[in-house]
C-alpha cells in the first residue's frame, strides 16, 4: 500500500535540497498556512491518488518546457489529468513549438530533479529565467497542491495565497492561458 502521512503543518526537520528550504522559508516569511503530508516516493501521477484523498484536492501537473535553442524556459501548471500536446500548448501560447527541457536546465533554474518542478520551486529562480504559465482551468480551484521540491512530500495552500502572495514574492507574473485538450484520433 502507498504510504501517506496524516496532515501536519510543520516544516521538515531537515531539508533535502536548497529549493525545499527556500520554499518553507518563503511560506513562513509570508505567513502562508499550509497542509503537508509525507509519502512514499512518487513514480507517476497515478500514485497521487492517495495524496489527493488525504489533502482533499488534486495535485497539479507541472511541465518544464523550453524552445529549441534552450534560451526560453516555461513552467506549465495544469490539472492532473489533462492531456498535453506540445503543438497545442505552443500554439495557445503563441510561441514556436516547445519541447521538454533537459534535466540540467531543471536543476539550474529551479534547483530540483525530474518530477519535482512546480510553482513553489520558482523561489529558486531569482533571475526570472522561467516563464510561468497556468492553465485557466486552475483558476477555479480553491487550493493548489504540489510537491515541496522533493518526490516524497506534498503541500497544499490556497490558490489566493499562491497568486497574491507567493508568486509576487518570487517575482513571477503568471500567464493565465486557455489550452484546449486534444482528443486522441
Amino acid at each position: 500500500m502507498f504510504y501517506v502521512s496524516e496532515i501536519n503543518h510543520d516544516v521538515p526537520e531537515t531539508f533535502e535540497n536548497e529549493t525545499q528550504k527556500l520554499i518553507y522559508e518563503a511560506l513562513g516569511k509570508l505567513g502562508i498556512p499550509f497542509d503537508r503530508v509525507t509519502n512514499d516516493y512518487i513514480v507517476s501521477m497515478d500514485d497521487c491518488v492517495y495524496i489527493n484523498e488525504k489533502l482533499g484536492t488534486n495535485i497539479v501537473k507541472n511541465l518544464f518546457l523550453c524552445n529549441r535553442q534552450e534560451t526560453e524556459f516555461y513552467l506549465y501548471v495544469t490539472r492532473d489529468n489533462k492531456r498535453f500536446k506540445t503543438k497545442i500548448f505552443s500554439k495557445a501560447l503563441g510561441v514556436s513549438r516547445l519541447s521538454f527541457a533537459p534535466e540540467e536546465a531543471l536543476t539550474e533554474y529551479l534547483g530540483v530533479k525530474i518530477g519535482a518542478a512546480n510553482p513553489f520551486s520558482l523561489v529558486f529562480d531569482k533571475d526570472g529565467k522561467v516563464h510561468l504559465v497556468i492553465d485557466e482551468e486552475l483558476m477555479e480551484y480553491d487550493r493548489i497542491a504540489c510537491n515541496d521540491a522533493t518526490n516524497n512530500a506534498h503541500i497544499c495552500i490556497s490558490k489566493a495565497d499562491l497568486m497574491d502572495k507567493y508568486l509576487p514574492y518570487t517575482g513571477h507574473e503568471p500567464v493565465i492561458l486557455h489550452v484546449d485538450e486534444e482528443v486522441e484520433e
Side-chain angles (χ1 to χ4, degrees):
M1 173 117 191
F2 190 84
Y3 170 76
V4 181
S5 73
E6 292 301 316
I7 292 175
N8 70 70
H9 310 284
D10 301 323
V11 171
E13 291 181 20
T14 58
F15 299 108
E16 294 185 32
N17 58 55
E18 182 65 18
T19 302
Q20 185 188 37
K21 179 182 176 199
L22 292 171
I23 289 168
Y24 287 104
E25 285 176 354
L27 292 172
K29 184 181 284 187
L30 298 169
I32 297 175
F34 59 89
D35 291 340
R36 177 176 173 267
V37 295
T38 56
N39 49 266
D40 284 340
Y41 189 84
I42 293 218
V43 178
S44 72
M45 288 302 287
D46 291 337
D47 294 333
C48 295
V49 170
Y50 306 104
I51 300 165
N52 292 346
E53 288 174 5
K54 188 68 75 165
L55 290 174
T57 191
N58 287 3
I59 294 171
V60 296
K61 182 190 297 185
N62 303 280
L63 304 169
F64 191 57
L65 308 159
C66 67
N67 62 0
R68 181 173 292 147
Q69 300 81 13
E70 296 181 13
T71 56
E72 296 290 326
F73 294 90
Y74 301 84
L75 177 63
Y76 175 48
V77 185
T78 188
R79 70 175 204 271
D80 61 337
N81 60 353
K82 187 165 189 171
R83 291 180 193 197
F84 176 77
K85 298 286 184 180
T86 57
K87 181 179 179 180
I88 293 172
F89 176 78
S90 299
K91 182 178 179 183
L93 192 56
V95 298
S96 297
R97 192 159 184 177
L98 301 173
S99 60
F100 290 99
E103 184 173 1
E104 301 80 37
L106 188 61
T107 303
E108 179 180 351
Y109 296 116
L110 297 179
V112 296
K113 296 179 180 178
I114 290 175
N118 65 67
F120 298 128
S121 59
L122 290 168
V123 72
F124 189 86
D125 180 31
K126 303 218 185 296
D127 296 328
K129 299 285 186 183
V130 179
H131 305 283
L132 175 61
V133 181
I134 299 177
D135 193 306
E136 74 175 357
E137 291 179 33
L138 296 185
M139 294 299 98
E140 296 176 17
Y141 283 38
D142 292 327
R143 299 173 355 124
I144 301 290
C146 315
N147 66 59
D148 68 351
T150 70
N151 278 324
N152 57 1
H154 287 77
I155 52 180
C156 182
I157 68 172
S158 75
K159 181 194 69 189
D161 281 343
L162 177 71
M163 301 300 287
D164 301 337
K165 294 179 182 177
Y166 193 88
L167 292 177
Y169 176 80
T170 70
H172 291 81
E173 177 80 27
V175 171
I176 310 302
L177 188 68
H178 172 79
V179 180
D180 288 323
E181 186 170 14
E182 182 170 302
V183 247
E184 294 296 322
E185 298 176 1

